[in-house]
Amino acid sequence: MLSTMSFPFSLKLLSDKFFPDIPSASGIAYTGGTYYVIGDDAARVFCLDTQWNIVSTITLTDFEGYRIPKPDKADWEAATLVDIKGVRYLLALGSGSKSPQ
């Protein structure tokens, strides 16, 4: 069933870009000129500049392949930034589909 809900704004896609080095993108957070992209089957967080270039990565696991196999992935689904006592942290959250991870 289609929703009949209306929104007081509209969205317009201005451009798109393909990232062959990023296996998936489930969550994204932005701070200080850097986008942090996390994927449900990715072994790294990808750090992109404001022109969408990968400038670095943050290793999450020692898996060396392109995509972590479904039985082994942590299933990261969301990312946000939190400030704790004046220090900014990237918080990644899983879907909760894999226990106990």
Side-chain angles (χ1 to χ4, degrees):
M1 180 171 156
L2 294 176
S3 172
T4 58
M5 182 185 299
S6 63
F7 295 95
F9 58 87
S10 62
L11 299 175
K12 180 180 178 183
L13 180 64
L14 300 177
S15 66
D16 65 344
K17 183 171 180 175
F18 177 63
F19 298 93
D21 296 325
I22 300 177
S24 60
S26 302
I28 187 168
Y30 175 83
T31 186
T34 302
Y35 292 96
Y36 296 90
V37 178
I38 191 158
D40 70 337
D41 60 0
R44 287 167 282 295
V45 174
F46 293 86
C47 307
L48 288 70
D49 63 18
T50 57
Q51 300 302 306
W52 301 104
N53 300 300
I54 298 172
V55 293
S56 64
T57 61
I58 301 168
T59 301
L60 298 172
T61 177
D62 58 2
F63 181 78
E64 294 293 328
Y66 183 66
R67 289 181 183 262
I68 299 172
K70 188 172 181 105
D72 302 325
K73 68 180 185 168
D75 212 12
W76 301 114
E77 294 295 346
T80 191
L81 296 159
V82 295
D83 290 311
I84 301 172
K85 296 183 180 180
V87 179
R88 183 161 284 182
Y89 295 91
L90 177 65
L91 173 64
L93 301 169
S95 67
S97 67
K98 186 174 179 184
S99 180
Q101 290 83 346

